[in-house]
């Protein structure tokens, strides 16, 4: 049984957009390879400037390595990162069993492509019942040369979007949003 077995009851895109929220509490159940491959397929369908497809992925499912990175972030970055941890001793990665790193050789547009790929991945994961959270506060530690070497990420690549994934421990309701701030709306003219 994989998360993909939920595909029959999957949400429409709009349902997934409304249902998605950041999940920070996961069960111990691992996300299997077939499911991760499917999420990556969704990610790479994102729009891409000049059809560059600049993204590359690193998948981390070694909990010891995740704990190690979390500890290093805590010791190197101190208070700035501590704010993100919540409880003392809590993991930067919220004890998720899977971290997907979307990487590129960054320029403004390549980074944009990676963020678009990230949103595809978040929505696809939500549609099949998985929980996700972007962990921007881990970018510092992930991009130090020693971490990249540990993660098999070449020096020329940077981690652009870190996303934790797992099976949500609780059902959660989506967070609210302000109404869209429309600065102007020029009406159509009749020719
Ligand atoms: C660029 C970016 C960085 C983020 N970094 C973190 C983070 O380090 N830790 C965390 O728990 N959530 C992080 N989040 C998740 C946001 O806190 C979350 O998206 C926001 O509170 C709205 O909640 P929602 O995603 O449930 O709608 C990040 C989100 C974005 C877009």
């Amino acid at each position: 049984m994989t998360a993909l077995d939920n595909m029959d009851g999957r949400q429409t895109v709009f349902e997934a957009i409304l249902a998605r929220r950041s999940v920070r509490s996961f069960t111990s159940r691992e996300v299997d390879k077939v499911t991760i491959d499917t999420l990556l397929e969704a990610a790479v369908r994102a729009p891409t400037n000049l059809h560059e497809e600049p993204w590359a992925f690193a998948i981390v499912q070694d909990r010891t390595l995740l704990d190690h990175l979390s500890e290093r972030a805590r010791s190197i970055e101190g208070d700035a990162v501590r704010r993100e941890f919540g409880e003392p001793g809590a993991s930067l990665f919220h004890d998720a069993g899977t971290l997907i790193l979307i990487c590129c050789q960054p320029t403004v547009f390549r980074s944009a492509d990676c963020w678009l790929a990230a949103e595809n991945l978040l929505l696809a994961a939500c549609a099949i019942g998985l929980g996700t959270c972007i962990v921007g506060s881990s970018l510092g530690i992930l991009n130090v040369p020693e971490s990249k070497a540990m993660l098999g990420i070449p020096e020329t690549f940077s981690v652009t979007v870190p996303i934790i994934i797992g099976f949500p421990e609780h059902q959660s309701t989506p967070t609210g949003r302000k109404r869209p701030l429309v600065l102007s709306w020029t009406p159509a003219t009749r020719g």
Side-chain angles (χ1 to χ4, degrees):
M1 166 103 175
T2 76
L4 293 175
D5 294 328
N6 290 335
M7 280 293 234
D8 284 346
R10 70 187 180 276
Q11 298 161 325
T12 64
V13 171
F14 203 70
E15 283 168 343
I17 289 170
L18 295 179
R20 186 215 58 81
R21 62 153 302 165
S22 295
V23 172
R24 299 182 180 86
S25 177
F26 302 93
T27 69
S28 57
R29 184 174 164 194
E30 299 295 341
V31 182
D32 61 278
K33 182 179 182 308
V34 177
T35 300
I36 291 173
D37 283 339
T38 303
L39 296 179
L40 299 186
E41 286 295 326
V44 301
R45 302 307 304 183
T48 166
N49 179 51
L50 299 174
H51 214 124
E52 247 197 294
E53 304 183 62
W55 37 62
F57 302 89
I59 321 297
V60 191
Q61 294 193 290
D62 178 345
R63 285 177 187 268
T64 310
L65 179 53
L66 289 171
D67 288 345
H68 174 73
L69 291 168
S70 177
E71 271 311 306
R72 285 208 61 201
R74 192 189 288 275
S75 62
I76 291 172
E77 300 191 28
D79 286 342
V81 136
R82 210 164 287 140
R83 270 184 281 123
E84 303 287 347
F85 284 90
E87 300 280 308
S91 164
L92 184 60
F93 302 112
H94 303 284
D95 294 321
T98 299
L99 173 68
I100 296 185
L101 305 173
I102 308 182
C103 309
C104 68
Q105 303 187 53
T107 63
V108 170
F109 281 162
R110 288 178 188 160
S111 298
D113 288 3
C114 288
W115 284 100
L116 290 164
E119 181 69 351
N120 270 13
L121 192 153
L122 300 182
L123 293 176
C126 178
I128 56 174
L130 290 169
T132 56
C133 185
I134 293 170
V135 187
S137 51
S138 65
L139 279 173
I141 190 64
L142 292 169
N143 276 306
V144 300
E146 305 86 81
S147 302
K148 288 205 279 184
M150 266 187 266
L151 294 162
I153 298 171
E155 268 178 44
T156 50
F157 280 76
S158 293
V159 179
T160 304
V161 194
I163 302 171
I164 50 170
I165 302 190
F167 289 86
E169 192 156 42
H170 316 287
Q171 191 148 26
S172 39
T173 47
T175 44
R177 289 292 189 271
K178 298 173 197 152
R179 297 291 305 153
L181 172 61
V182 179
L183 293 177
S184 69
W185 192 320
T186 311
T189 48
R190 284 169 197 262

